[in-house]
Amino acid sequence: MNWPISINESAQDRRGPALLSENPPIFPHPCARGRLIALAALSQKLPAGRIASTLALALQQATQQRVLLVELTLGEGRLRLEDLGVSDLARSESVRVDPESADAGFDRLVVQVAGEPAEAPVLAALLGRFTRSYRHVLMLMGAELPVYPAIEGLVMADNAYLLFEQTAEEMLNYNLLLREVRAHRRGDESRIRPVCFVPADRRVAADSPVTRSLHPPFYLHERADCFGRQIRSWAREICGRRIGLALSAGAAKGLSHIGVIQVLEEHGIEVDAIAGCSMGAYIGAVWASGHDGSQLEKFACELEGRFGLLKLLDPALPPRRGFLLGWSVRHRLRRTIGEINFSDLVRPLRVVATNLATLERTVFTSGSVVDAVRASTAIPGVWVPVRIGAETFVDGGIVDPVPVSVLRQQGVERVIAVNVIPTPSFLKCVREQEREQEAVRGPRLSPFDFLHRYFNYFASGNVLDIMLRSMNAAQMLLAEESSKHADIVLRPLSCDGQWFEFNRPRKYIELGRTVALEHLDEIKALVARKESHEHCHIVDTLAAVA
């Protein structure tokens, strides 16, 4: 944006933007959520045209309905606002406005503006006319535009996005623009979401001030493996068709999440947001970092074999706060994904942990991914609690074992939950089956049973097993209640599963694949479901400004 002022100048000394605060024109809200989308670029270095064109195409493909891209420019355009009148636009036969049909599959119109306040009602009337013909209208406002049309565009849009890179200059412009929106009579900052463009050779700073905005920033990475996927996710956000995946706790049983992810990838089902706790957080973090389902299986199989579990053991001596330190888990995760922050992930991730002091749920959305996952997987009594900053955290499965609500609070419209926590009825059936098998084959005796029972703290019936089963008892009701709020619930339950069987990954991965394939038609129907939208009545713009 062309900011003609200094941040220290008072309103009495300013011209242009100050008029917005003092005597802003009144415009009707063009339509319901999602009809008019404003994209405002804060820097001319941004590939704003490429971003807007790709988004328009993705939106058209997601909705299978006509999409119009309107580009406001100070240069030459097919249409000049100063040549139009509100009354002319109100009568469709008076002025013929035909956008160009782009080869990419959407319509496009370049509109020349002068940046004068008198153009605002004309622009509102023009856009109101287009929203009657198109399901979605994208309005791109380049960084070369004066502040006035940019503010008016943001205010009249149903949803607005600010495109910027994380530089000091652009962060200043970002804050200035939000300040003007707040001062506007019809300004609503809650409808504006920051979109941080990350060049291929850069990373986002962990302490970015934009993370404190009303909406979490949407990170758009220029890397080839991210750009297209994130643009499609952005389009699904606009049309209300995001898919979220809630991955439950469950220790080794959580390896079933890998099988579910593989099936989703194989059938081209893209996930827009992930929420996980405990093992679900671990699997979700590796997937969100850019690894695919086959790589997830490869990492899991590194522990395969009789002695694979030993790779996770790092005893705490003395076991005052837990039997294991957890550094082995942290080292394996850091070796897999590196020291990255949440802003570096190719898919949005939410990690759930439990604050040990207050016993409240904590949802990590920024900072170190490794630290957050390590906190979420710290099973009480098994692993030593994790300290992050001034707080101490333990397993997130204690307070939210299936974090469906985390995705709902994020605004995700369609949620698939993967719940590996068994129900009491399932365990009762398993127990009856075991008794029947024992009655048929008789008791099984082994010379190692004595050593296994009395010296292995992980063995069935010993202290760690009792702790884990007791925690599962508390989780069951929470997990079932959370699952009620998901659109689809996948339950990869194993009759002979043990929480510590990390050395048998293929068993659980195959179980996850089987359950996902059984529900594949249901998942596809959820993804393809079309929401019913009522076409709202467009208020007469001329009457509104008269």
Side-chain angles (χ1 to χ4, degrees):
M1 301 298 165
N2 292 331
W3 293 95
I5 62 174
S6 167
I7 192 171
N8 295 320
E9 290 178 322
S10 63
Q12 290 78 5
D13 298 328
R14 290 179 288 155
R15 292 183 299 173
L19 296 175
L20 298 172
S21 306
E22 296 165 0
N23 187 27
I26 301 174
F27 301 108
H29 201 271
C31 197
R33 176 182 183 272
R35 290 296 298 274
L36 178 60
I37 314 299
L39 310 178
L42 299 183
S43 170
Q44 297 189 33
K45 297 182 297 182
L46 290 169
R50 174 191 171 202
I51 293 173
S53 299
T54 308
L55 179 60
L57 177 59
L59 196 56
Q60 186 274 332
Q61 293 174 341
T63 61
Q64 294 299 307
Q65 294 180 350
R66 297 175 65 195
V67 175
L68 172 64
L69 173 60
V70 177
E71 299 182 27
L72 303 185
T73 179
L74 292 176
E76 293 294 328
R78 187 179 182 188
L79 193 66
R80 295 177 56 182
L81 280 186
E82 61 182 5
D83 295 338
L84 303 177
V86 175
S87 58
D88 295 332
L89 290 171
R91 299 190 302 271
S92 58
E93 67 277 3
S94 299
V95 178
R96 186 172 181 83
V97 181
D98 294 324
E100 299 175 341
S101 180
D103 295 336
F106 59 90
D107 294 344
R108 179 173 176 266
L109 179 65
V110 179
V111 178
Q112 181 179 346
V113 298
E116 299 296 333
E119 292 180 323
V122 181
L123 178 61
L126 179 66
L127 294 172
R129 179 170 171 177
F130 287 142
T131 54
R132 289 191 286 267
S133 303
Y134 291 88
R135 180 65 189 88
H136 290 97
V137 176
L138 299 181
M139 176 173 54
L140 174 62
M141 299 175 290
E144 73 280 0
L145 291 182
V147 176
Y148 196 92
I151 295 294
E152 294 300 338
L154 292 173
V155 169
M156 70 176 66
D158 299 294
N159 296 95
Y161 298 88
L162 295 183
L163 307 175
F164 66 97
E165 288 186 30
Q166 196 177 6
T167 64
E169 178 183 359
E170 292 187 33
M171 291 308 302
L172 174 62
N173 290 343
Y174 173 83
N175 292 324
L176 286 171
L177 195 60
L178 287 185
R179 187 182 68 179
E180 295 296 341
V181 170
R182 296 188 201 105
H184 197 287
R185 256 174 70 185
R186 289 186 50 82
D188 184 2
E189 186 183 350
S190 65
R191 290 184 298 176
I192 299 178
R193 185 177 182 187
V195 178
C196 183
F197 180 76
V198 185
D201 57 345
R202 297 184 192 175
R203 291 181 59 181
V204 179
D207 57 347
S208 170
V210 76
T211 58
R212 297 189 291 271
S213 62
L214 292 180
H215 290 303
F218 184 93
Y219 293 103
L220 183 59
H221 293 80
E222 190 181 25
R223 302 198 316 262
D225 60 330
C226 303
F227 187 80
R229 182 193 297 122
Q230 291 174 337
I231 286 285
R232 291 191 295 272
S233 178
W234 187 0
R236 288 189 290 270
E237 175 182 300
I238 291 174
C239 62
R241 297 184 178 184
R242 282 177 296 175
I243 298 294
L245 189 63
L247 304 178
S248 75
K253 300 176 184 179
L255 294 172
S256 301
H257 300 323
I258 298 176
V260 173
I261 289 171
Q262 289 178 343
V263 172
L264 295 179
E265 288 183 338
E266 291 166 4
H267 291 84
I269 299 172
E270 294 185 337
V271 173
D272 302 301
I274 310 165
C277 67
S278 197
M279 193 60 187
Y282 192 105
I283 299 296
V286 178
W287 191 38
S289 68
H291 297 290
D292 59 20
S294 60
Q295 291 172 314
L296 290 176
E297 181 174 359
K298 178 182 176 181
F299 297 142
C301 289
E302 291 177 356
L303 301 177
E304 195 171 24
R306 178 177 298 179
F307 303 105
L309 190 60
L310 296 177
K311 298 178 181 179
L312 296 179
L313 301 183
D314 48 359
L317 299 175
R320 184 174 59 88
R321 307 178 66 203
F323 283 89
L324 303 175
L325 294 172
W327 289 106
S328 295
V329 175
R330 187 182 191 281
H331 173 73
R332 293 186 64 83
L333 181 59
R334 184 172 58 183
R335 188 186 66 184
T336 302
I337 67 176
E339 285 289 357
I340 63 175
N341 297 317
F342 281 82
S343 56
D344 299 315
L345 298 173
V346 300
R347 297 180 178 88
L349 174 69
R350 301 290 183 267
V351 173
V352 177
T354 303
N355 188 307
L356 189 58
T358 62
L359 301 183
E360 293 178 315
R361 183 184 75 173
T362 298
V363 179
F364 289 97
T365 61
S366 61
S368 170
V369 176
V370 174
D371 289 343
V373 172
R374 176 66 191 91
S376 182
T377 57
I379 302 174
V382 180
W383 276 281
V384 173
V386 176
R387 189 172 183 83
I388 300 178
E391 302 294 337
T392 302
F393 300 93
V394 292
D395 197 313
I398 299 173
V399 292
D400 196 358
V402 188
V404 174
S405 63
V406 174
L407 295 174
R408 292 299 190 192
Q409 292 167 5
Q410 192 181 345
V412 177
E413 296 82 7
R414 307 172 188 192
V415 176
I416 302 171
V418 186
N419 183 7
V420 302
I421 299 174
T423 61
S425 58
F426 178 83
L427 294 177
K428 185 177 180 180
C429 292
V430 171
R431 183 58 178 160
E432 291 176 353
Q433 183 180 1
E434 290 176 350
R435 288 174 177 172
E436 292 175 358
Q437 293 176 350
E438 289 178 359
V440 172
R441 69 170 184 259
R444 298 181 60 182
L445 300 177
S446 170
F448 297 101
D449 282 348
F450 177 83
L451 295 175
H452 183 63
R453 176 172 298 180
Y454 287 95
F455 292 97
N456 182 7
Y457 290 105
F458 293 90
S460 179
N462 284 351
V463 57
L464 295 181
D465 181 64
I466 293 174
M467 291 172 57
L468 264 295
R469 292 179 67 84
S470 300
M471 194 169 77
N472 281 342
Q475 290 176 332
M476 287 176 181
L477 291 178
L478 290 174
E480 290 306 305
E481 184 61 29
S482 294
S483 298
K484 293 178 182 178
H485 301 285
D487 296 282
I488 297 175
V489 183
L490 307 180
R491 300 179 183 273
L493 302 178
S494 173
C495 294
D496 60 344
Q498 298 290 335
W499 69 271
F500 54 82
E501 288 186 314
F502 292 99
N503 58 335
R504 301 179 64 186
R506 298 183 194 274
K507 164 187 172 181
Y508 295 102
I509 293 174
E510 187 58 35
L511 180 61
R513 290 185 59 87
T514 300
V515 173
L517 289 171
E518 290 174 354
H519 292 80
L520 184 59
D521 291 339
E522 189 179 354
I523 295 173
K524 288 183 176 180
L526 176 67
V527 174
R529 187 179 70 197
K530 293 184 178 180
E531 307 292 351
S532 59
H533 296 284
E534 296 184 0
H535 291 279
C536 66
H537 174 67
I538 304 297
V539 183
D540 189 349
T541 306
L542 180 60
V545 299

